[in-house]
Amino acid sequence: MNMSFKSMILAVTLVAVAFSGIACAKEAKKEEKQAILITSFGTSMPSARKAIDNLVVAAKKAFPGAEVRLAFTSNIIRRKLAREGKKNVPPRPSWLWRS
């Protein structure tokens, strides 16, 4: 490669980096939100559920500015809890952030 081609590649790269830095700076002005997603296979045992709920409470205390959500990954557990008429059955993780 000759020197002018290298210089041109360097200049294009620097311009791209500069524009991406400007875009990042504009994005940084937006309010950043923190969220914590605690996922578990799930459980239908009340004593085990207390342990999971304690993790949620601990996360809320440790990160008071963050939204804390719980999700169960097991369809079987969520269906079982729903059949038993349990309230507040945690959703699947993919359902939490849909618009």
Side-chain angles (χ1 to χ4, degrees):
M1 287 187 196
N2 62 29
M3 194 56 147
S4 64
F5 183 72
K6 287 182 182 179
S7 298
M8 185 179 68
I9 294 295
L10 179 61
V12 169
T13 303
L14 290 175
V15 169
V17 170
F19 280 121
S20 66
I22 291 168
C24 289
K26 287 182 181 180
E27 288 293 321
K29 290 180 183 179
K30 292 182 181 178
E31 179 184 340
E32 292 185 12
K33 297 179 182 179
Q34 291 184 337
I36 298 171
L37 175 60
I38 298 174
T39 58
S40 169
F41 178 82
T43 183
S44 60
M45 303 294 294
S47 59
R49 178 63 190 260
K50 286 181 186 176
I52 295 169
D53 290 340
N54 286 338
L55 290 173
V56 173
V57 170
K60 286 180 179 180
K61 285 182 183 176
F63 301 95
E67 181 178 356
V68 179
R69 293 190 182 188
L70 172 64
F72 282 176
T73 59
S74 171
N75 290 332
I76 295 168
I77 295 295
R78 284 186 286 99
R79 280 192 297 259
K80 182 176 193 261
L81 292 172
R83 275 193 312 267
E84 293 173 357
K86 303 291 185 193
K87 304 283 186 204
N88 301 322
V89 176
R92 277 187 16 208
S94 62
W95 294 346
L96 291 173
W97 307 113
R98 287 187 184 165
S99 299

